[in-house]
Amino acid sequence: MQLNGLDWIVLAAYGTVALGVGLWFARRAGSGTNEFFLAGRKLPWWLLGTSMVATTFSTDTPNLVTDLVRNGGVSRNWGWWAFLITAMCTTFFYAKLWRRSGVFTDIGFYELRYSGRAATFLRGFRALYLGVFFNVVIMATVTLAAIKISGVLLGADKYTTVLVAGTVAALYSATSGLWGVVVTDLLLFAIAMIGAVAAASYALAQPEVGGLAGLVTHPEISQNLSLLPDFSDWRTAAMVFVIPIAVQWWASWYPGAEPGGGGYAAQRMLAARNERDSMRATLWFNIAHYSLRPWPWILVALASIAVYPTLDSIGAAFPDLDPSILGHDLAYPAMLVFLPHGLLGLVVASLAAAYMSTISTHLNWGSSYVVDDFYRRFVAPDRDEAHYVRVARMSTGLLIVLSAALALFLDSAKQAFELILLLHAGSGLIFLLRWFWWRVNAWSEISGMAASATVALWFPLLHERVGLPALDPAVSLLLGVGLTTAVWLLVTFLTRPTDTATLQGFYDRIRPFAPGWRRAVNTQPDAPGSLAAGLAAWGLGCVTVYAVLFGTGMGLYGKPAAAVGFGLVAVAAAVGLFRALPRVGFD
């Protein structure tokens, strides 16, 4: 299905507004790196939280959700639903600490917390590893989704998509800075939500589906509806639910859900006006990301099972599609062809908005690492702010070129998702403990990073080649976590701790809970806020969001009693949460 004149008018209107915002903030962004990367640390919580939601509302996410649902049912989403536990922990324990640190990027944390050459090396290496290599992998998966969507809806080949989408995103990000990114994200989130709901409505209206009633009774779909895996199949249940809930949330590092916060989430927390706004931003992000957004995507994925039951049926519906990008994740854009003109343009605009939001955030975030944590720190430390902004804009162009090139070689978002989880398997515990345990040092992080990278290379590339039996991704993850944790703990106790002066300076500045620091520094009364209140808020926050998520699902499945039950749980947990918030403590 091709776009007509009305669709292009809608797309043009969106593009004009986005361009206008970018140009409006261009001069402000060019005044210095503090404005370009942190918007002067003056952003309100609701704008920051919405920006984080819009960033994760990327073009690859609905494709990934569709792939998961078609290959194992709704319960497969626990692979990312479990990260709510991580994100709520960040909200009530780490958001205020990040804002209190006052660092320019989360990579700058290393020379605040650690000492010596190891700390210097860690800052420089992580700046390039995360800002370039890792960031490029993430952006490539988003671009791959854009390739698949444009191939179905526009009939465009992958080279045209990469060239046009990448150029527009790079120019926008290099021009507007963080102010332009987050303000535009507010609009993008609204458009993307409207588009997702519209896509779900028309997917359910297809005659093969028969609305919500037909969806839940369809013989090929009903077996995929459960929110929990079948525990009689323990192997699948462990992979889908037990390991994500018990291990993955604290052991693995994933963008937007890093244990202890990090990446673009840390950038948003550092850009907040104060500690309270930092917490509120991450709380709003968690509510919107995990409870408001998933169901439109899930409904489209379920409906696609009736409309396109096999890969062959998708291929038959789009015979001109490049065979190299054919996969179950393609079912999401394939369902969008049923939208009427005008609304189709709006949905395409919402997907373009999702792409722009994610890519512009990652370009700005990655460029901040390249400029502040590598170029300014190690190459040119004494140049003026205008020079660093120019370098930031050049690095933005380099990052988009690298990600576009990688996108041409990927097959599915699920590949990258599993690779990212494995690359940092076991290192998440370091990011949680380094704030509260003095003994963690730079060598802990270096060894953990090296061990997890070795594991990530071993299992997919070498394990079977040396004659060992193939392993499920969940088993590989568990082994990776165990090995990496053992390595970094051993290295921690075999190497010298961070010097006392650095530890004391960090403690005095951050004022974390004292018990983990008493053996190393002169501790003071804890900063405002109790551990019990933080733990209560963490647990109640998770219960609130999960209850809303499951209650919505029960309502859509036509189970009103269960929906009301979850609703009551959500209300009770939310009341308890807001009663606990004043005792969490902020400066």
Side-chain angles (χ1 to χ4, degrees), residues 396-487:
T396 296
L398 174 63
L399 290 173
I400 199 66
V401 169
L402 293 174
S403 65
L406 178 60
L408 299 176
F409 294 94
L410 290 177
D411 295 324
S412 74
K414 188 178 179 183
Q415 284 179 314
F417 179 76
E418 292 175 351
L419 174 63
I420 289 169
L421 290 182
L422 199 56
L423 271 172
H424 285 84
S427 59
L429 192 58
I430 303 174
F431 305 135
L432 293 172
L433 293 179
R434 63 188 184 179
W435 297 86
F436 300 110
W437 184 30
W438 71 275
R439 195 60 181 84
V440 174
N441 61 31
W443 289 109
S444 306
E445 296 213 25
I446 292 171
S447 61
M449 182 171 54
S452 61
T454 302
V455 168
L457 291 173
W458 172 266
F459 286 116
L461 299 179
L462 301 174
H463 184 79
E464 294 181 48
R465 292 189 180 184
V466 298
L468 296 173
L471 298 175
D472 288 334
V475 176
S476 300
L477 179 66
L478 278 181
L479 290 174
V481 167
L483 292 171
T484 300
T485 302
V487 167

Side-chain angles (χ1 to χ4, degrees), residues 321-402:
L321 199 65
D322 186 342
S324 67
I325 64 172
L326 183 62
H328 285 287
D329 57 344
L330 201 66
Y332 187 86
M335 292 297 293
L336 302 182
V337 301
F338 302 114
L339 293 166
H341 288 296
L343 188 55
L344 177 62
L346 179 64
V347 172
V348 173
S350 77
L351 295 170
Y355 173 82
M356 284 284 293
S357 175
T358 303
I359 294 296
S360 60
T361 286
H362 279 273
L363 288 173
N364 186 274
W365 160 53
S367 183
S368 72
Y369 287 0
V370 172
V371 173
D372 193 69
D373 296 299
F374 186 80
Y375 184 78
R376 190 203 298 258
R377 175 66 178 82
F378 298 104
V379 179
D382 299 315
R383 306 298 292 269
D384 59 37
E385 286 295 298
H387 174 79
Y388 293 125
V389 171
R390 287 195 298 272
V391 174
R393 287 170 169 160
M394 288 188 289
S395 65
T396 296
L398 174 63
L399 290 173
I400 199 66
V401 169
L402 293 174

